[in-house]
Amino acid sequence: MTQDKFKQIITHPTLSPKQKSSYLALEADASLDYLSVSDAVTQAMKDAVLCDMFEGNAPFKPRYVLPDYAKFLKQGSEYLELAPATDFDEALNNLTIIYHHVPSVTNIPVYLGQLDDVLLPYVGDLSDEAVYRKLRMFWIMLDRTLPDAFMHVNIGPTDNIICRTILRVDAELKQVAPNLTFMYDPAVTPDDLLRVANQNICECSKPHIANFPMHASAYDSRGFGIVSCYNSLPLAGGANTLVRMNLKEVAKKADSSQHFFDSVLPQYCTTMFELIDARAAFLHEESGFFNSFLVTEGVIDEDRFAPMFGIFGMAEAVNTLMEKDGAEGQYGHADTANRLGHSISRRLSDIVTATPVKYGYNGRALLHSQGGISLDVDVTPGVRIPYGTEPDPVSHVQALAEHHQYYTSGISDILTIDETVKANPEAMYQLCKGALAIGFREFTANVHSNDLIRVTGYMIKLSDIAKFKEQGSRTNTTGLGEEAAATTGILNRAPRVVSHEQAPRFCDGQ
């Protein structure tokens, strides 16, 4: 059977040689014996309650790595035989080199740095136009040589030439990669810069807008980064593993919401922590990864890695428990259902913050609202509202805002906005600012008429999906997007109009 699978991969008519190599490597990972775990863990995985997110049966690299690129540029690298960068060209060149040595679950770096902080010291006396030309070529290079939509750049919250130039380039090129997060801090970021970021969303469904003070308060002074889809992790560290729990399946095993809270959820959390510790222990103790030059040269630190405790299927869990309790109301629409969802998030947060793990950030895992994968059928990502049932944008935000405080390592919804917002970008700005003001950790939107859209958090082009089966794609994540479109209903998201009257009142807290 394995030989047949290998043959299917190497004879595939549309995969590139590099893509075939990646698929063959995944098959090799999957052929290893699984780590030693209890029967309870094995059964939970067979029952689709727990999922290890395809990191390999015995992980030899972290899921996500967030190097301190500013330190790397300042000190250079003995391993890579690079002197410290002294100007803008050397900085871009050195970054281009190190990116190819930063591993992840996708074999492509998921974090390219807080690029305005990283690059500003090297601008010197370059004109604005010179910076634009260099960054535009750099942006094209990233998309063509590292064609993966989980690759992620951060900018903001300060107003600076790198930040504004990247926004300009991203809106012009409308590339799938890299993904982009703009950090917003109301005490630092001018309104006109936030408006530019929201105008970009209207143009190309990027960037994410992150609530910088909310994220920063969860980490120490060394900071954090947003990587992959929208995952928040310690800078100079990362995620050693991501394990996720299907709350829909947990709820199905409970007799009532009380039984769910008192017994079933805690039981599966205990089982999940066992799986997390087993996977993290192999990486840290047996894989040899932490002998890497990234560690020995101080670009990452082993003690800044943490497991991500992911959950999905909140909507189905709430609706199932409401039915078992004999209560009425659907998640995302009824206050009683929404409050039950908030209670589940709060309980999960209490469990995760109270439970030590062997290899964690300050000894703990980080709770994560996981954005789903293309194999998820009839279950909604994270704490999102099921596709096609979303209320108006303001009600949508209000229904979910309370969840955001609990998910330290990332939570995101995707608001699908009608194309009429392009004639009224101020409405997008007001909706975004209001969402952040009432507690959104991350604001993300698609505009319905755009070719470039988000799937779970990564980007695809609808035009690429349309021709994928016949022509394949140079972008690694197009196949995931095509599968998600076919099986998970992402294209059923309901485009909604942002009211000219409602959004300003929302922004003002009315």
Side-chain angles (χ1 to χ4, degrees):
M1 189 66 179
T2 301
Q3 293 295 313
D4 291 343
K5 190 64 178 289
F6 290 163
K7 185 72 174 292
Q8 289 174 14
I9 292 171
I10 65 174
T11 60
H12 196 284
T14 61
L15 291 175
S16 71
K18 193 172 183 65
Q19 289 167 340
K20 289 178 180 180
S21 295
S22 294
Y23 282 118
L24 288 170
L26 289 173
E27 291 300 318
D29 281 351
S31 71
L32 295 171
D33 290 336
Y34 205 86
L35 299 171
S36 178
V37 292
S38 69
D39 291 343
V41 170
T42 301
Q43 191 60 50
M45 295 178 75
K46 287 181 178 178
D47 291 344
V49 176
L50 302 185
C51 170
D52 64 9
M53 294 296 287
F54 311 107
E55 297 169 355
N57 289 353
F60 63 92
K61 58 188 176 182
R63 183 175 187 87
Y64 302 131
V65 178
L66 286 74
D68 185 339
Y69 292 115
K71 182 175 183 179
F72 160 74
L73 290 182
K74 185 176 181 179
Q75 71 184 20
S77 169
E78 181 179 351
Y79 179 84
L80 296 176
E81 301 180 57
L82 292 172
T86 61
D87 60 27
F88 203 71
D89 288 335
E90 288 182 358
L92 293 180
N93 184 63
N94 288 7
L95 288 175
T96 301
I97 292 169
I98 195 174
Y99 290 157
H100 288 272
H101 297 269
V102 177
S104 78
V105 67
T106 68
N107 294 314
I108 285 179
V110 295
Y111 181 64
L112 302 187
Q114 182 77 32
L115 279 188
D116 43 7
D117 286 351
V118 169
L119 291 174
L120 275 171
Y122 303 96
V123 171
D125 58 0
L126 288 175
S127 68
D128 290 0
E129 191 59 25
V131 170
Y132 164 75
R133 289 197 308 272
K134 293 175 186 296
L135 283 177
R136 191 176 190 278
M137 288 189 291
F138 183 67
W139 220 243
I140 292 170
M141 179 279 298
L142 291 173
D143 181 73
R144 306 310 192 267
T145 64
L146 298 167
D148 188 288
F150 295 117
M151 181 173 63
H152 208 118
V153 167
N154 298 175
I155 52 175
T158 63
D159 189 357
N160 61 77
I161 184 175
I162 302 296
C163 179
R164 286 189 178 261
T165 303
I166 286 176
L167 287 171
R168 175 186 172 188
V169 167
D170 205 46
E172 288 178 1
L173 296 178
K174 298 178 173 61
Q175 296 177 168
V176 166
N179 210 333
L180 184 65
T181 287
F182 173 80
M183 306 286 187
Y184 172 69
D185 183 344
V188 174
T189 311
D191 285 348
D192 73 301
L193 183 56
L194 181 61
R195 284 186 167 91
V196 171
N198 277 274
Q199 178 66 55
N200 269 41
I201 295 175
C202 295
E203 290 294 320
C204 62
S205 303
K206 287 194 280 180
H208 292 286
I209 312 290
N211 189 329
F212 180 80
M214 194 173 186
H215 281 287
S217 66
Y219 298 98
D220 61 23
S221 59
R222 194 159 184 188
F224 71 99
I226 307 289
V227 312
S228 187
C229 288
Y230 51 86
N231 309 331
S232 176
L233 292 163
L235 182 66
N240 42 33
T241 189
L242 165 57
V243 177
R244 64 180 193 152
M245 177 184 293
N246 186 342
L247 294 177
K248 174 185 177 180
E249 295 300 323
V250 179
K252 285 164 63 175
K253 296 179 183 298
D255 299 330
S256 64
S257 60
Q258 194 66 45
H259 185 220
F260 175 89
F261 283 112
D262 290 347
S263 178
V264 183
L265 182 62
Q267 169 197 330
Y268 279 113
C269 285
T270 299
T271 306
M272 185 152 152
F273 278 115
E274 180 192 338
L275 179 57
I276 282 172
D277 275 341
R279 296 188 63 78
F282 185 90
L283 175 72
H284 286 262
E285 297 170 12
E286 299 188 51
S287 72
F289 171 79
F290 289 100
N291 298 324
S292 159
F293 83 96
L294 296 170
V295 178
T296 60
E297 296 185 4
V299 180
I300 60 174
D301 294 334
E302 185 175 5
D303 62 2
R304 295 183 66 78
F305 281 80
M308 297 170 70
F309 187 111
I311 59 91
F312 68 114
M314 176 69 78
E316 289 75 19
V318 168
N319 291 341
T320 296
L321 294 174
M322 291 285 288
E323 183 177 347
K324 291 187 175 189
D325 288 349
E328 295 183 354
Q330 292 291 302
Y331 182 78
H333 298 270
D335 286 343
T336 50
N338 293 341
R339 287 198 299 272
L340 176 57
H342 301 154
S343 296
I344 294 172
S345 288
R346 182 168 58 252
R347 183 61 188 280
L348 284 164
S349 178
D350 289 345
I351 291 171
V352 171
T353 55
T355 305
V357 295
K358 191 170 184 181
Y359 296 100
Y361 182 67
N362 296 322
R364 296 296 186 270
L366 300 174
L367 187 59
H368 177 64
S369 176
Q370 202 276 324
I373 59 177
S374 58
L375 300 182
D376 295 338
V377 178
D378 297 327
V379 58
T380 304
V383 302
R384 295 175 183 173
I385 298 171
Y387 304 142
T389 72
E390 303 95 333
D392 69 85
V394 170
S395 298
H396 191 152
V397 168
Q398 290 171 329
L400 298 184
E402 191 168 331
H403 288 289
H404 282 236
Q405 63 189 297
Y406 301 115
Y407 293 91
T408 302
S409 68
I411 176 172
S412 176
D413 207 309
I414 299 174
L415 299 166
T416 302
I417 307 299
D418 186 82
E419 64 183 333
T420 53
V421 76
K422 291 188 174 185
N424 181 31
E426 182 70 10
M428 183 75 83
Y429 162 81
Q430 298 281 0
L431 181 66
C432 170
K433 196 169 183 181
L436 297 173
I438 68 167
F440 254 48
R441 191 177 290 268
E442 196 95 14
F443 176 85
T444 306
N446 282 335
V447 175
H448 188 245
S449 60
N450 286 349
D451 186 32
L452 191 63
I453 66 164
R454 293 190 184 277
V455 180
T456 58
Y458 67 90
M459 311 299 297
I460 60 170
K461 286 186 177 180
L462 294 176
S463 56
D464 289 343
I465 294 295
K467 59 189 180 184
F468 175 74
K469 286 188 175 180
E470 289 73 31
Q471 301 179 19
S473 174
R474 67 171 180 81
T475 303
N476 297 339
T477 35
T478 302
L480 297 177
E482 190 274 337
E483 191 172 40
T487 61
T488 67
I490 60 166
L491 301 184
N492 297 330
R493 291 171 176 148
R496 287 136 315 149
V497 174
V498 184
S499 164
H500 291 257
E501 296 79 20
Q502 193 179 29
R505 292 201 306 272
F506 179 52
C507 182
D508 293 337
Q510 300 178 22

